[in-house]
Amino acid sequence: MTLRYISEVPLPDRDVIDLVRRSCADVPEGSTRLAKCFYDNLFAMVPEVRDMFPSDIRPQQQRMADALLAVVRHLDSPDEISEYLRRLGRQHHRELGVRPEHYPHVGRALVRAVSEVSPTWTSSMSSAWVLVYQWITAHMMAGAQADDGSQGAPYTPRRARR
């Protein structure tokens, strides 16, 4: 998945959003099955990120499941959701040390997890998730950039700055 700036990523159209919602339709409110699959995939793909999380991942799985399903449900309110995503990006940057290079791995793990839990999964849903994830990521990275005070400049991890 390609990382793109917020100015390059429009909100996906209604058909794309509907496909993403359909892929999650069978995930009950409060379920962590999707989040468990996501973290299993992420840690298998990029084992070094496991240390960013507590040993008991269950509370994080619940937070992730709740947040993801809330974003999917509210994609019709992009201004509200984009502000939430920016705050989430700032939080992930500050508290977990999430860097831009982590986002493509997260996207692949997420698409794989949704494909594993959705009984109606199609290749069109995969494409839809990529578009929605790019929009989500652009907003989260904008929040991390604002946290750094580098709003218009390309993101540079704090460790790399002098």
Side-chain angles (χ1 to χ4, degrees), residues 47-113:
E48 60 271 20
V49 301
R50 180 62 182 95
D51 290 340
M52 296 169 78
F53 299 92
S55 57
D56 182 3
I57 195 77
R58 289 175 300 188
Q60 177 62 30
Q61 288 173 341
Q62 189 65 62
R63 285 190 299 273
M64 186 271 193
D66 294 344
L68 181 64
L69 293 176
V71 168
V72 168
R73 272 194 312 276
H74 293 96
L75 284 169
D76 300 300
S77 306
D79 293 338
E80 182 181 318
I81 284 299
S82 67
E83 184 52 40
Y84 168 73
L85 291 169
R86 287 172 189 253
R87 285 192 312 267
L88 197 60
R90 281 190 294 274
Q91 178 188 5
H92 280 73
H93 175 73
R94 284 180 186 168
E95 295 175 15
L96 298 173
V98 172
R99 299 184 309 271
E101 58 267 23
H102 293 132
Y103 284 98
H105 301 296
V106 169
R108 284 189 288 281
L110 178 60
V111 171
R112 185 176 293 170

Side-chain angles (χ1 to χ4, degrees), residues 5 18 24 27 30 32-33 41 99 108:
Y5 287 104
D18 286 345
C24 294
V27 178
T32 60
R33 182 172 174 235
N41 289 327
R99 299 184 309 271
R108 284 189 288 281

Side-chain angles (χ1 to χ4, degrees), residues 4 17 20-21 23-25 35 39 43 52 56 59 72 78 82 84 87 90 99-100 115 129 131 133 145 150 152 155:
R4 296 168 39 196
I17 292 170
V20 166
R21 285 182 175 151
S23 72
C24 294
Y39 284 110
F43 299 153
M52 296 169 78
D56 182 3
V72 168
S82 67
Y84 168 73
R87 285 192 312 267
R90 281 190 294 274
R99 299 184 309 271
S115 75
W129 265 103
L131 293 173
Y133 181 72
Q145 289 169 346
S150 59
Y155 179 86

